[in-house]
Amino acid sequence: EQSRSMLAGDMIAAGSKLSADDHVLIVAYHLPLKVARAAGGGYVIEWDDERGLDRAGMNLPAQCTYIGCIELEVPSIDEQEVLEELLFKQYGCIVLFLNPELHRKYYHGFCREYLAPIMHNQMHVTQDADPFVPDEWRAYCTVSQMFAAKVMEVYSGSEMIWVHDYHLLMVPSCIVRKVHLAKIGFFMHAPFPSSDIWRTVSVRLELLRSLLNVDLVGFLMFEYTRNFLTCCKRLLGLEYEFQKGGFLGVEYEGRHVILQVSTFGVSPPGVAARLAAMERGDVRVDVESLAAVYKRGATVIASVDYLDRLKGVAPKLLAWEALLRDYPHYRTGHVLIQVCVGARNRIQIETAPAVGRELQAIVTRINGAYPGTVHLEVRGCMGPAERLDLWCHSHVMLTTALREAINTTPLEFVLARHLANRAAGVCVVSEFTGFARMLCGCLRVNPNSQSELVETLDTALNMSAEERRGRAAKDVAHIQRCTLEAFANRFVTELKATKTKRAEDFVCVGFGLSKFRLVCMGANFKALDTAEVVEAFQGARRRALLLDWGGTLAAAASKGFYDERETAGYALPQQVLDALASLCAEPSCAVMIMSGLPKEVVLSAFGAVPNLSLAVEHGFNFRLCGGGAPALRGEWQQLTPEYDDGWRSVARSVMSVYADRCQGAFVQTKGCSMLWNFASSDPEFGYMQGKELQTTLQHVLADFPVAVRTGKGYVEACLKEVNKGAMAERFVSLLEADGAGPLDFVLCAGDDSTDELMFASLKAKLGEANPKLFTVTVGRKPSEASSYVDEPRDIVALLELLCSYGFRARGAALGGMGMVKKSSGSISKLGASHSNLASLA
């Protein structure tokens, strides 16, 4: 299968390396630049190495163009144009300007107030207003489209596109709409929440499908990757697998999306250079208020956090208060320095003032009881030089974030003390941060347990020098190996190595953000050419049509427990019955309806059509009629005439036991099979129960002519050699064996997985490249069929075409249309009505 042949060995090319000829478009919410107006006019611009995405920090051996916003507000259009040209020419950066109202709705509204808590596993609870604000969502989509437009300004077809973080989740879909073949990577700096939390997002499918429109997705930890995979399984029914080379892959619409667990880091050369500059006095370090604390000679426990409740500063202060209360000897000679930063990316955190007041109240109480034991400092920002100076004067570094992905301060603490030749310190890290699993020498702590925090702090403060050195040595080795440069190089190298997409293999499907997706079809999979079908039908002497019912001649029924047709009836539109009757009236044309439903149901719908062959229950029972061969007009027959029916009671009893165990599962009985349906159950528990049921059924039914197979949401026990593929092959064989000559036109149409067996069987029997064989699937999706139509009414329109023009001389009454190949392929574009066709003639 072309659509499923892209294995990981093909997806990731071994030995791919970056070169100076490669070009990467790095798309992030904020450019790695500091831009401010100079006092005498003009601008002061410098690289912001704190963001980790700057040219020096990543040190990529490729051309890099950055796309993003800046913190400087530039209202004048003329000034925007001047600054845009300056940043592009001198810094290789493309700036995007947002008006204040759009920025407020996009960043402070949707990103920070709605999406950020979700990403950090915090569920919104509706109180006096809906937390999801449609205007803010529209602003988020608008900004995503603006970012995509900026990408298109410089995209020539060869660049790789690397998108960063949850601020730009919709950007991949916006880019793919414009360029289907772009190589896109996405790295998530934030955590990815559990499926229970993600399912509460009002626009969960839009965001999830956009992430799946990329080629490579990176997460900091496997925990976040697992959460993402679980969301894909529960919301979209997608499976994942470990692939060649150790990669995780998700198959989505015929494409393989590669997942990477990426270890982020800091740049050791950059930290060393900054420490050296500080030693020489080349960098001004603004730590006057802290210097007074250092001079006291106390043991320093230090921490730097944003003024954000998720950073867990309050639990940290309360644990410190408990430590001082329960361990009196820490009340002197020990001080907790807590620096809180009120701006993120130099953008003021809206909740910072309120959080600051809460923390100040706790600190005032602690210092009132135990004077001088806490030094709280609130700053608008804290530069890297000030942080490194703090780490060099600290003995213990403490972070108690309630949920956090990338926070490099623990790495800075360990590395700075090592490079500055200071005694090894102790790093106490919340187990809910991304680096807790990576720093093997740190002490991990649950910030929600005050007693555990107190005990861990006591352990850190009493740790021997030998143990501190041993733990620090492990962490330094990791930090020097898993650097920022190594992370960036690995990600972009693997993005480059993903298999290059071909235009003929892919098509964009769906309108709107929730339905849009990029589907891999394969080079030979195309829209049905109606004119070609009609022309072949006209030139044939013997014709056979094999047609599925549900989803092909009429809309598909629900696959759940309730089938509305059981109460509303199975009647078909009269136009379908009229078209079938017209085709069956011709002796040179044999038509068979293929259905999985019982005989009585199929007869109630199609029994009134004369000379129509029927195959029910996937071919278990069938009736041959028409086709100009009187010998075929007979009674109902069975595909396998003799079989032991005793297996049903065994299968039913076993399936019933598992249905009782698994909520939402139920047993369905069909003519040639029995189905254990768990589509409405918990996907993971249902899958586990299904695997166990499959093993049990294979054991207890080993002596019966029964096959046990699984599909999406079901386990099926069915008679061997009974399926639509075997029935299609039998139908064609019987028609060709009646002495009336070979078939020179075969049309087979279906829509689901059972119909794929028909397509494969007919291709094997008649030849895959046979110009007289037309296999058609309904819906654009990976398939064994050679072509597709969009919906069932297109198949009905095709049958009406064949009735009106198919039995005339070749090319007659079609005018120019008969010879024109319709590359667009959709029947609806030709027009389903006879009057439209006549107007084209």
Side-chain angles (χ1 to χ4, degrees):
E1 298 176 62
Q2 292 181 354
S3 61
R4 301 179 186 273
S5 63
M6 294 189 297
L7 299 175
D10 299 323
M11 291 296 297
I12 302 294
S16 296
K17 292 183 178 180
L18 295 178
S19 70
D21 295 329
D22 293 315
H23 192 179
V24 187
L25 304 180
I26 300 175
V27 188
Y29 162 66
H30 204 292
L31 290 174
L33 291 176
K34 296 178 182 178
V35 182
R37 289 189 174 89
Y43 303 95
V44 177
I45 304 173
E46 59 180 340
W47 288 103
D48 186 356
D49 55 4
E50 284 196 85
R51 298 190 184 277
L53 299 179
D54 67 295
R55 197 184 311 273
M58 294 192 298
N59 197 27
L60 284 171
Q63 305 172 55
C64 295
T65 300
Y66 297 86
I67 301 173
C69 302
I70 57 175
E71 74 276 7
L72 181 67
E73 188 173 323
V74 184
S76 167
I77 300 297
D78 293 337
E79 186 182 359
Q80 289 180 6
E81 293 176 352
V82 171
L83 186 55
E84 187 173 1
E85 183 178 3
L86 175 64
L87 294 180
F88 182 66
K89 288 183 177 180
Q90 296 188 14
Y91 295 89
C93 294
I94 298 174
V95 63
L96 175 66
F97 296 102
L98 305 178
N99 68 63
E101 181 62 15
L102 180 63
H103 179 264
R104 183 191 65 78
K105 292 179 180 178
Y106 160 72
Y107 182 79
H108 293 292
F110 192 81
C111 289
R112 295 301 310 161
E113 291 185 12
Y114 185 75
L115 208 50
I118 292 289
M119 302 307 293
H120 292 80
N121 245 30
Q122 308 294 309
M123 184 174 69
H124 290 292
V125 178
T126 302
Q127 297 178 354
D128 57 342
D130 189 345
F132 176 78
V133 181
D135 279 351
E136 294 176 353
W137 164 242
R138 282 190 287 271
Y140 187 84
C141 295
T142 298
V143 172
S144 298
Q145 291 163 356
M146 293 170 68
F147 268 96
K150 286 294 182 181
V151 170
M152 291 302 101
E153 289 181 8
V154 290
Y155 183 77
S156 65
S158 60
E159 295 86 354
M160 294 173 280
I161 303 171
W162 189 7
V163 185
H164 288 265
D165 217 8
Y166 68 92
H167 309 89
L168 305 178
L169 283 172
M170 288 306 303
V171 170
S173 276
C174 295
I175 294 174
V176 169
R177 282 178 180 271
K178 299 174 183 290
V179 281
H180 305 342
L181 308 183
K183 275 193 177 183
I184 306 176
F186 188 99
F187 182 73
M188 181 69 76
H189 294 246
F192 197 88
S194 67
S195 64
D196 286 345
I197 300 297
W198 185 259
R199 278 159 37 196
T200 66
V201 178
S202 299
V203 287
R204 58 192 186 180
L205 291 182
E206 289 89 332
L207 299 174
L208 199 59
R209 283 199 169 106
S210 183
L211 268 182
L212 290 169
N213 278 327
V214 308
D215 300 285
L216 178 66
V217 185
F219 296 95
L220 182 66
M221 296 172 58
F222 178 71
E223 176 186 342
Y224 309 150
T225 310
R226 183 181 60 226
N227 289 344
F228 174 74
L229 292 171
T230 303
C231 290
C232 292
K233 183 177 181 66
R234 289 177 176 269
L235 295 177
L236 298 174
L238 303 180
E239 302 291 344
Y240 69 91
E241 58 184 354
F242 282 96
Q243 300 173 340
K244 184 178 178 182
F247 294 97
L248 271 170
V250 175
E251 185 173 325
Y252 178 62
E253 301 292 357
R255 300 167 46 246
H256 284 278
V257 180
I258 300 299
L259 304 180
Q260 181 196 79
V261 180
S262 308
T263 302
F264 205 82
V266 295
S267 173
V271 174
R274 192 172 296 279
L275 285 171
M278 292 166 58
E279 184 72 21
R280 294 191 304 268
D282 296 342
V283 176
R284 181 176 178 272
V285 182
D286 182 17
V287 290
E288 292 183 7
S289 57
L290 295 177
V293 181
Y294 301 154
K295 290 178 182 179
R296 287 158 47 185
T299 299
V300 175
I301 300 92
S303 187
V304 178
D305 299 283
Y306 286 118
L307 268 176
D308 186 327
R309 290 188 177 89
L310 285 175
K311 300 307 176 183
V313 179
K316 180 192 308 178
L317 294 173
L318 294 175
W320 180 247
E321 182 181 33
L323 180 76
L324 298 176
R325 182 186 64 238
D326 298 339
Y327 298 81
H329 58 280
Y330 290 129
R331 297 173 186 174
T332 58
H334 296 79
V335 61
L336 171 65
I337 297 179
Q338 175 65 59
V339 180
C340 292
V341 180
R344 181 184 282 105
N345 297 328
R346 292 184 293 280
I347 299 174
Q348 184 67 31
I349 301 172
E350 290 192 342
T351 59
V355 176
R357 289 191 295 271
E358 295 169 6
L359 299 180
Q360 187 60 60
I362 299 174
V363 170
T364 301
R365 184 178 71 232
I366 297 174
N367 282 332
Y370 316 108
T373 53
V374 182
H375 178 83
L376 175 66
E377 191 167 310
V378 177
R379 293 183 169 213
C381 64
M382 189 175 192
E386 285 78 16
R387 286 202 310 274
L388 293 177
D389 185 73
L390 175 60
W391 304 144
C392 289
H393 285 89
S394 305
H395 303 83
V396 176
M397 187 270 180
L398 176 61
T399 175
T400 54
L402 304 179
R403 192 75 174 178
E404 189 174 55
I406 293 178
N407 178 0
T408 59
T409 52
L411 310 183
E412 286 181 349
F413 171 80
V414 174
L415 187 62
R417 295 191 68 83
H418 170 74
L419 295 176
N421 295 316
R422 301 295 179 98
V426 183
C427 204
V428 181
V429 180
S430 165
E431 65 183 54
F432 298 106
T433 66
F435 290 107
R437 302 278 176 85
M438 301 172 195
L439 296 178
C440 299
C442 73
L443 296 179
R444 301 184 186 93
V445 65
N446 177 7
N448 299 290
S449 171
Q450 188 177 101
S451 61
E452 185 176 331
L453 255 174
V454 169
E455 292 173 5
T456 305
L457 277 171
D458 180 52
T459 300
L461 292 170
N462 287 287
M463 187 177 293
S464 67
E466 183 180 358
E467 183 178 351
R468 292 200 307 269
R469 286 194 298 269
R471 288 176 175 272
K474 290 182 179 180
D475 290 341
V476 168
H478 169 84
I479 294 168
Q480 291 180 333
R481 184 179 69 255
C482 300
T483 63
L484 175 60
E485 294 91 337
F487 154 75
N489 197 290
R490 177 190 170 203
F491 190 96
V492 179
T493 298
E494 292 182 2
L495 177 59
K496 177 184 177 180
T498 55
K499 188 175 181 181
T500 301
K501 299 187 282 282
R502 301 184 303 171
E504 58 268 28
D505 291 349
F506 290 88
V507 63
C508 288
V509 176
F511 297 97
L513 295 173
S514 63
K515 300 296 184 182
F516 176 78
R517 56 203 186 277
L518 185 65
V519 181
C520 176
M521 299 294 193
N524 297 323
F525 189 69
K526 59 186 185 302
L528 181 66
D529 190 329
T530 314
E532 182 182 356
V533 174
V534 174
E535 187 177 349
F537 191 91
Q538 288 177 331
R541 292 186 303 108
R542 296 199 68 200
R543 311 165 177 97
L545 286 78
L546 297 91
L547 307 171
D548 174 51
W549 176 9
T552 304
L553 294 177
S558 169
K559 294 184 179 180
F561 184 80
Y562 173 66
D563 186 346
E564 62 182 11
R565 298 177 303 177
E566 294 178 359
T567 53
Y570 291 82
L572 283 160
Q574 190 60 43
Q575 67 179 122
V576 177
L577 299 176
D578 290 343
L580 292 174
S582 297
L583 292 170
C584 292
E586 293 292 334
S588 64
C589 187
V591 183
M592 172 172 273
I593 300 297
M594 310 281 280
S595 176
L597 292 171
K599 183 199 301 184
E600 58 274 13
V601 172
V602 178
L603 279 174
S604 68
F606 296 96
V609 180
N611 297 325
L612 178 62
S613 297
L614 301 174
V616 300
E617 298 164 351
H618 300 300
F620 178 65
N621 289 301
F622 66 93
R623 182 189 71 183
L624 297 179
C625 298
L632 298 180
R633 302 178 187 274
E635 301 297 327
W636 284 91
Q637 306 172 53
Q638 289 185 341
L639 195 57
T640 56
E642 297 180 1
Y643 74 99
D644 184 357
D645 197 32
W647 66 272
R648 289 182 177 279
S649 59
V650 178
R652 183 182 294 107
S653 62
V654 174
M655 288 182 176
S656 297
V657 171
Y658 281 84
D660 292 339
R661 291 179 183 173
C662 187
Q663 293 178 344
F666 57 94
V667 180
Q668 292 177 294
T669 302
K670 297 185 178 181
C672 64
S673 67
M674 295 197 65
L675 209 69
W676 187 75
N677 190 315
F678 64 92
S680 299
S681 304
D682 180 276
E684 291 169 298
F685 185 64
Y687 175 78
M688 290 188 291
Q689 291 291 308
K691 294 295 288 184
E692 181 65 25
L693 173 60
Q694 181 185 18
T695 302
T696 304
L697 288 175
Q698 287 171 339
H699 176 70
V700 300
L701 300 177
D703 296 331
F704 295 96
V706 175
V708 180
R709 53 176 175 249
T710 61
K712 279 193 174 181
Y714 69 87
V715 177
E716 184 180 30
C718 59
L719 288 174
K720 294 178 179 178
E721 306 302 329
V722 176
N723 56 65
K724 287 187 178 182
M727 184 65 248
E729 187 174 351
R730 174 75 67 87
F731 181 58
V732 170
S733 297
L734 290 174
L735 289 177
E736 291 185 331
D738 63 5
L743 295 171
D744 43 15
F745 176 89
V746 178
L747 172 67
C748 180
D751 76 299
D752 64 16
S753 58
T754 62
D755 301 316
E756 296 296 313
L757 298 173
M758 283 199 298
F759 304 145
S761 178
L762 290 176
K763 284 184 175 181
K765 182 175 180 61
L766 302 177
E768 186 166 351
N770 191 333
K772 305 301 182 183
L773 173 62
F774 297 88
T775 51
V776 188
T777 187
V778 178
R780 303 187 195 186
K781 56 183 179 289
S783 173
E784 286 283 354
S786 57
S787 56
Y788 68 90
V789 295
D790 289 327
E791 51 192 344
R793 66 181 179 182
D794 295 337
I795 293 292
V796 177
L798 175 61
L799 297 182
E800 292 179 330
L801 274 177
L802 298 180
C803 293
S804 300
Y805 301 101
F807 299 105
R808 302 183 185 185
R810 193 164 190 162
L814 285 174
M817 188 277 286
M819 311 307 329
V820 175
K821 303 299 183 185
K822 297 291 181 179
S823 58
S824 63
S826 176
I827 294 249
S828 59
K829 292 184 180 179
L830 288 178
S833 70
H834 299 179
S835 59
N836 288 343
L837 290 167
S839 67
L840 293 173

